[in-house]
Amino acid sequence: MKKSKPKSKSLTKNKSRRHFRPQLPKSPTGIQGLDEITAGGLPKGRPTLVCGGAGCGKTLLAMEFLVRGATQFHEPGVFMAFEETAKDLTQNVASLGFDLNDLIARKRILLDFVYVERSEIEETGEYDLEGLFIRLGQAIDSIGAKRVVLDTIESLFAGLPNPLILRAELRRLFRWLKDKGVTAIITAERGEGTLTRQGLEEYVSDCVIVLDHRVSEQTSSRRLRVVKYRGSTHGTNEYPFLIDENGISVLPVTSLALQHIVSSERVSTGVARLDAMLGGKGYFRGSSVLVSGTAGTGKSSVAAHFADAACRRGERVLYFAFEESPSQIMRNMRSIGIHLQQWVNKGLLQFHAQRPSFAGLETHLAMQHKVINAFKPQAVVLDPLNSFIVGDNEIGVQSMLTRLLDFLKTKQITGLFTSLISSDPTLEQSDSSISSQIDTWLSLRALDSGGERNRGLAVLKSRGMAHSNQIREFLLTDHGVELRDVYVGASGVLTGSARLTQEAQDQAVQMLQKQEIERRQIELKRTHQALEAHIAALNAEFETKKTDSLRITGQEQAQGAQLAQGRLEMGVSREEDATAKNPKRRAK
């Protein structure tokens, strides 16, 4: 029998090689979200083209790439500008917290301004960039730079009309940067129908990032897209980004996969009767809750109860308001006994109030992501959702809310959203069209009857739990929301004054019935008492007759005994008389 030969080591090595995939070296940008989109950063030792229109943030992105590299990754950088002086650049980025003067003093960053006057440029003989290479090379060597920014390339080639020379010099510039081994960002202006004005840079760049600043429905938003990235996978969608006091932050996702982990823990709604309607325990932690209803039905009051209950548990709550200021919300909630100011003072509740028209949908989404990541809440309230809907942007609103829901679920944050719906109470739909993605849907509705407008609450759905299918009367009192069982009369569901009137009538009927029962009970008691008295009289009569009977019987028995004794004595006496008269009988 032949022994099986062991697998050769070479086969094992080949098998492991099939699983090993070399990764392209990358330089992290340090810009929030951008490294996630690019799967680690920009290609290390290669040029990246950042293009876009005026005011989209090209220079700021390039500058932050250098500053983050110098401060976070110990990679010095050179910024060569062709439009702005070093002084202007330093002042422009100071508001973002970038202290360029300090970094320059510590030789972490070098700023170089190259003055190019287009009117003075003439094509004489051969055109080349040798002087630029010498100047840039000296700057790189002086601080040991690993990162380089050229801002902007149009200024460098503005006076060169020959496309053949332009193409050759562009290729030469990009090749020179690669040979130096620096990670470079080259900024460029958008062209007509092309990514850049020359339309050539995007072809010789290893990575191309397009920035866009657009205005829709009178609101502006900025977006970023990675057009190409040689040798690496990357996100291909458009990503909104913000420019604020902390620099650039990119929202790295447009739609998350449905892979978030769910929790079985329950959190209170803040209303005891509503908890009872939801299986006695409230919402699932990390779930999404929609409170919809017509105007004035109490949507914000339900949201305030939820926020108050979360703060009482020691949880942080983030409240996004789009129609009322924080002061107005807190004042209004005090009228129903909910004091939110105390939680603001303790740092558990944080308000963010802005009009939806302040920015575009994507910008709002990016701002919400940033605030949530900074505050790290356990619960988020958005009041209301439908305020974002302007014109025919409902699809955009739905997309934004879908991404926000996914983001909250991945972080196990319970989200409560309010939404104004049609005045028709039979239409069980929300204007934001996200009801199908909501875990728990509460419907507040107006109940009009008897010339009054009252409120009702129903649980339209609550995934994963048993819940009530009944409508509750919804009351706003000085101690908060109160839910009562609806009053069903002969004419249907009654609320308000109609309910009070019907309750009074029913109480009167119940009072008469109670009085009739009491009267009958009194009559029965009297009858019972009379019967008891009659029985007692009969018993007394019986006892009397019994006594008399026993007495008579005793007398008769005594007389009988006495008579018998007399007869005996009489017989005895007669016998003695006979003996005395006849002596012979006695002798016998």
Side-chain angles (χ1 to χ4, degrees):
M1 186 175 178
K2 295 182 179 180
K3 294 183 179 180
S4 58
K5 295 182 180 180
K7 294 182 180 180
S8 63
K9 293 184 179 180
S10 60
L11 291 177
T12 305
K13 289 181 179 179
N14 291 335
K15 185 176 181 181
S16 62
R17 286 173 184 171
R18 286 195 292 267
H19 292 284
F20 174 73
R21 295 180 179 178
Q23 299 294 324
L24 182 71
K26 297 185 178 182
S27 294
T29 65
I31 298 174
Q32 181 179 348
L34 182 56
D35 289 337
E36 183 175 344
I37 295 171
T38 55
L42 304 183
K44 190 170 186 178
R46 298 186 181 187
T48 295
L49 179 67
V50 177
C51 53
C56 63
K58 303 184 297 297
T59 301
L60 178 60
L61 186 145
M63 180 61 75
E64 187 166 353
F65 169 71
L66 285 190
V67 172
R68 302 295 182 193
T71 57
Q72 297 180 12
F73 307 108
H74 308 291
E75 293 186 358
V78 172
F79 193 103
M80 181 166 285
F82 303 105
E83 291 184 346
E84 295 181 271
T85 65
K87 181 179 179 181
D88 291 337
L89 285 171
T90 302
Q91 292 176 346
N92 292 342
V93 300
S95 61
L96 305 178
F98 300 158
D99 189 353
L100 295 186
N101 290 326
D102 176 67
L103 293 174
I104 293 173
R106 294 192 290 118
K107 294 186 177 182
R108 307 304 298 168
I109 284 182
L110 188 149
L111 298 183
D112 189 9
F113 171 65
V114 178
Y115 177 76
V116 178
E117 180 57 47
R118 299 182 182 182
S119 61
E120 298 178 0
I121 297 179
E122 292 184 9
E123 184 181 351
T124 57
E126 279 193 21
Y127 180 93
D128 62 47
L129 300 176
E130 195 62 38
L132 175 68
F133 296 156
I134 294 174
R135 185 166 179 171
L136 183 57
Q138 289 177 348
I140 293 173
D141 295 338
S142 64
I143 64 172
K146 301 296 182 181
R147 303 185 179 203
V148 170
V149 171
L150 300 179
D151 182 45
T152 64
I153 198 170
E154 282 79 19
S155 300
L156 189 60
F157 295 105
L160 188 62
N162 191 328
L164 296 178
I165 297 178
L166 175 61
R167 182 186 293 269
E169 290 303 307
L170 277 174
R171 291 185 180 278
R172 187 181 175 204
L173 172 62
F174 280 71
R175 191 181 306 112
W176 186 89
L177 291 172
K178 282 187 178 182
D179 292 340
K180 291 294 291 185
V182 293
T183 305
I185 286 183
I186 300 171
T187 66
E189 295 288 340
R190 290 289 295 267
E192 293 293 336
T194 58
L195 295 180
T196 60
R197 291 183 181 179
Q198 282 79 23
L200 301 173
E201 298 92 327
E202 57 263 36
Y203 297 104
V204 296
S205 302
D206 290 278
C207 178
V208 178
I209 298 175
V210 176
L211 304 184
D212 181 31
H213 189 193
R214 66 186 67 172
V215 178
S216 177
E217 298 292 342
Q218 299 182 352
T219 56
S220 66
S221 61
R222 290 183 171 90
R223 303 191 186 194
L224 177 149
R225 183 166 67 96
V226 180
V227 177
K228 78 172 185 179
Y229 199 139
R230 289 172 180 164
S232 174
T233 58
H234 58 89
T236 58
N237 296 321
E238 283 191 324
Y239 304 92
F241 70 93
L242 294 178
I243 298 177
D244 57 16
E245 67 278 3
N246 297 317
I248 291 179
S249 58
V250 185
L251 181 61
V253 290
T254 55
S255 183
L256 297 176
L258 294 175
Q259 298 178 350
H260 46 264
I261 300 174
V262 299
S263 172
S264 297
E265 182 185 355
R266 304 284 280 274
V267 293
S268 174
T269 66
V271 182
R273 286 297 302 273
L274 183 54
D275 287 344
M277 294 178 69
L278 298 171
K281 298 179 181 179
Y283 312 127
F284 281 117
R285 181 177 295 281
S287 64
S288 55
V289 181
L290 177 65
V291 182
S292 63
T294 54
T297 50
K299 302 180 294 296
S300 296
S301 299
V302 173
H305 263 291
F306 171 68
D308 180 69
C311 291
R312 291 184 183 278
R313 294 191 298 268
E315 300 176 1
R316 290 184 298 277
V317 179
L318 197 56
Y319 198 117
F320 292 99
F322 303 108
E323 290 185 348
E324 298 177 284
S325 67
S327 298
Q328 186 177 359
I329 293 173
M330 290 187 285
R331 181 205 63 187
N332 295 344
M333 292 304 108
R334 282 197 300 269
S335 66
I336 61 173
I338 300 178
H339 300 278
L340 299 178
Q341 183 65 56
Q342 59 178 327
W343 308 124
V344 174
N345 297 338
K346 292 182 179 180
L348 293 175
L349 177 61
Q350 188 176 110
F351 282 95
H352 282 266
Q354 286 180 334
R355 289 290 184 187
S357 57
F358 173 78
L361 295 176
E362 301 293 353
T363 302
H364 273 289
L365 181 61
M367 293 171 62
Q368 290 163 4
H369 274 236
K370 183 175 181 179
V371 173
I372 290 171
N373 286 328
F375 188 60
K376 294 180 174 54
Q378 285 78 38
V380 167
V381 176
L382 269 78
D383 181 30
L385 292 178
N386 53 286
S387 58
F388 286 100
I389 299 178
V390 179
D392 57 352
N393 70 337
E394 187 170 344
I395 295 178
V397 174
Q398 182 179 0
S399 175
M400 181 197 78
L401 296 177
T402 298
R403 285 175 277 170
L404 179 60
L405 285 175
D406 288 342
F407 176 69
L408 294 178
K409 286 180 179 291
T410 58
K411 292 185 173 294
Q412 286 288 292
I413 298 174
T414 308
L416 187 144
F417 312 90
T418 69
S419 178
L420 179 69
I421 63 172
S422 169
S423 58
D424 186 352
T426 62
L427 296 178
E428 294 181 347
Q429 61 183 9
S430 62
D431 290 337
S432 54
S433 302
I434 61 164
S435 56
S436 61
Q437 305 175 51
I438 292 295
D439 298 312
T440 299
W441 187 3
L442 306 180
S443 174
L444 302 179
R445 57 192 66 182
L447 305 176
D448 298 331
S449 62
E452 290 185 347
R453 188 173 186 270
N454 298 292
R455 302 177 180 92
L457 181 146
V459 181
L460 298 186
K461 73 172 183 179
S462 191
R463 292 170 176 164
M465 68 177 73
H467 59 86
S468 174
N469 63 350
Q470 297 180 342
I471 298 176
R472 295 285 191 272
E473 186 173 0
F474 184 92
L475 301 178
L476 292 177
T477 69
D478 57 359
H479 54 274
V481 169
E482 181 180 335
L483 297 181
R484 302 175 63 185
D485 293 334
V486 294
Y487 197 82
V488 182
S491 58
V493 176
L494 301 177
T495 59
S497 298
R499 171 177 183 155
L500 296 176
T501 302
Q502 186 63 44
E503 284 182 340
Q505 294 176 357
D506 291 345
Q507 289 176 359
V509 172
Q510 291 177 357
M511 182 64 69
L512 292 176
Q513 292 176 348
K514 182 179 179 181
Q515 292 175 352
E516 179 65 18
I517 292 173
E518 290 177 351
R519 185 187 64 78
R520 291 181 179 180
Q521 289 177 343
I522 291 173
E523 288 183 356
L524 181 62
K525 184 176 180 180
R526 288 176 179 175
T527 302
H528 182 265
Q529 290 175 348
L531 180 60
E532 290 291 335
H534 184 63
I535 292 174
L538 291 176
N539 284 332
E541 182 180 357
F542 173 76
E543 291 296 332
T544 300
K545 290 182 178 181
K546 179 180 178 181
T547 303
D548 293 342
S549 177
L550 292 175
R551 181 178 56 78
I552 294 172
T553 300
Q555 290 177 352
E556 291 178 350
Q557 289 177 349
Q559 289 177 358
Q562 186 177 3
L563 182 60
Q565 182 65 31
R567 287 178 179 176
L568 180 58
E569 292 179 351
M570 186 180 293
V572 172
S573 63
R574 286 180 178 177
E575 185 66 24
E576 291 178 350
D577 290 346
T579 304
K581 291 178 177 182
N582 193 358
K584 294 181 179 181
R585 182 180 299 177
R586 183 181 299 175
K588 290 180 180 182

